[in-house]
Amino acid sequence: VHLEESGGGLAQVGGSLRLSCAAQGPIFTNAAMGWFRQAPGKEREFVAAIAWGTTNTLYADSVKDRFTASRGNAKNTAYLQMNNLKPEDTAVYYCALAGSGDWNNAYNRDYEYAYWGQGTQVTVSS
């Protein structure tokens, strides 16, 4: 399974970006998809996740009410709409795909995810 992110770039404070993640290959039915990020000098942290069923989403407190996770109809794509961006959102963002799980489970732990994208840089400038 190969995951490819796109949509990163430079944004102004208060601006918006939309990240996309496309999974190619045989993905597990019921696989949750997650978003994580890693800022320079910091550990990777959870951002958001969405279950296969799409009715269950999880968000880190730092992005709640600003970021929205969604999935395409084909379920092999995921999106992260990021609004009201802040300088502290600057990081490399990774999408991840679970290798197992229940159709309505979303996960905020990186060990729940079996496949990872290469990351896309998001930079928020003031």
Side-chain angles (χ1 to χ4, degrees):
V1 176
H2 174 73
L3 301 181
E4 185 164 348
E5 302 102 335
S6 61
L10 178 65
Q12 300 288 326
V13 170
S16 298
L17 285 173
R18 188 189 194 213
L19 304 183
S20 299
C21 175
Q24 300 172 345
I27 67 172
F28 168 73
T29 302
N30 296 345
M33 296 188 81
W35 293 93
F36 292 76
R37 67 186 181 187
Q38 186 167 21
K42 295 187 177 182
E43 293 186 353
R44 185 170 61 190
E45 64 175 2
F46 168 75
V47 176
I50 183 166
W52 176 273
T54 71
T55 57
N56 187 17
T57 53
L58 293 175
Y59 296 95
D61 288 343
S62 59
V63 307
K64 203 170 292 183
D65 299 326
R66 298 189 298 121
F67 290 11
T68 302
S70 61
R71 295 182 78 150
N73 290 334
K75 301 295 178 75
N76 65 330
T77 55
Y79 306 97
L80 186 67
Q81 178 66 43
M82 305 185 295
N83 297 329
N84 191 20
L85 285 163
K86 303 177 180 181
E88 51 264 42
D89 294 320
T90 296
V92 176
Y93 283 70
Y94 300 89
C95 72
L97 179 70
S100 62
D102 184 78
W103 73 278
N104 204 34
N105 282 353
Y107 310 105
N108 59 4
R109 304 289 186 177
D110 56 6
Y111 59 75
E112 298 282 3
Y113 295 92
Y115 308 100
W116 293 81
Q118 81 288 351
T120 185
Q121 177 69 46
V122 170
T123 302
V124 183
S125 65
S126 55

